[in-house]
C-alpha cells in the first residue's frame, strides 16, 4: 500500500517536471532524507550513547550500535524512519494543502 503512494509520488514528479528538474528534485529529496535522519539520530542520542559509540573502532560495528540505540530511543529502525518520512513527503506532494 505505502509503496503505491511512493510510486504515485515518483510518477507525479516525473509528470510535473522535465527530466533534469525531476533528477534534481529526487537528489534534493535524498539529501533532505539523510539530513533529517542525522538530525533525529543526533537529537535522540545521549552523551552516554555517543561515548559508547566512539569507543567502537570498527565502523560496521559502530553503525550497528547506532542503529540499535536509535531503535531503543525511537521504537523504529533508521530504515523504518526513512520509509515513514518518504511516505509522509509523498502524501504531502500528492495532496498539497491537505496535510
Amino acid at each position: 500500500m505505502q509503496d503505491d503512494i511512493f510510486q504515485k509520488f515518483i510518477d507525479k514528479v516525473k509528470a510535473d517536471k522535465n527530466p533534469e528538474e525531476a533528477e534534481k528534485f529526487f537528489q534534493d529529496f535524498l539529501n533532505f532524507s539523510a539530513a533529517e535522519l542525522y538530525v533525529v539520530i543526533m537529537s535522540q542520542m545521549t552523551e552516554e550513547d555517543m561515548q559508547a559509540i566512539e569507543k567502537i573502532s570498527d565502523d560496521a560495528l559502530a553503525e550497528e550500535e547506532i542503529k540499535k540505540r536509535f531503535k531503543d530511543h525511537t521504537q523504529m529502525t533508521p530504515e523504518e524512519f526513512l520509509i515513514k518520512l518518504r511516505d509522509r513527503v509523498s502524501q504531502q506532494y500528492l495532496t498539497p494543502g491537505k496535510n
Side-chain angles (χ1 to χ4, degrees):
M1 168 76 179
Q2 295 301 327
D3 287 337
D4 293 341
I5 290 172
F6 188 55
Q7 187 59 54
K8 287 178 184 175
F9 164 70
I10 290 169
D11 294 344
K12 182 156 177 42
V13 169
K14 287 180 176 179
D16 290 350
K17 302 182 180 307
N18 69 44
E20 294 81 21
E21 291 171 329
E23 182 179 341
K24 181 174 180 347
F25 183 92
F26 290 126
Q27 186 60 54
D28 289 346
F29 177 67
L30 287 173
N31 293 340
F32 164 76
S33 298
E36 188 72 12
L37 178 60
Y38 178 80
V39 167
V40 171
I41 287 172
M42 295 310 293
S43 69
Q44 295 296 317
M45 295 293 168
T46 65
E47 186 65 32
E48 180 183 300
D49 291 324
M50 297 308 289
Q51 289 173 357
I53 292 164
E54 287 172 5
K55 289 179 183 177
I56 302 171
S57 60
D58 181 276
D59 288 345
L61 292 175
E63 183 177 328
E64 287 305 311
E65 186 64 21
I66 290 169
K67 288 179 182 181
K68 178 191 167 299
R69 289 174 185 262
F70 182 87
K71 186 168 185 174
D72 289 346
H73 290 295
T74 65
Q75 315 322 268
M76 70 179 92
T77 66
E79 293 80 8
E80 291 167 332
F81 172 83
L82 289 172
I83 289 169
K84 285 183 178 229
L85 177 63
R86 175 197 80 181
D87 292 344
R88 188 176 76 234
V89 170
S90 297
Q91 188 65 43
Q92 289 172 346
Y93 188 87
L94 292 169
T95 57
K98 294 186 181 182
N99 299 305

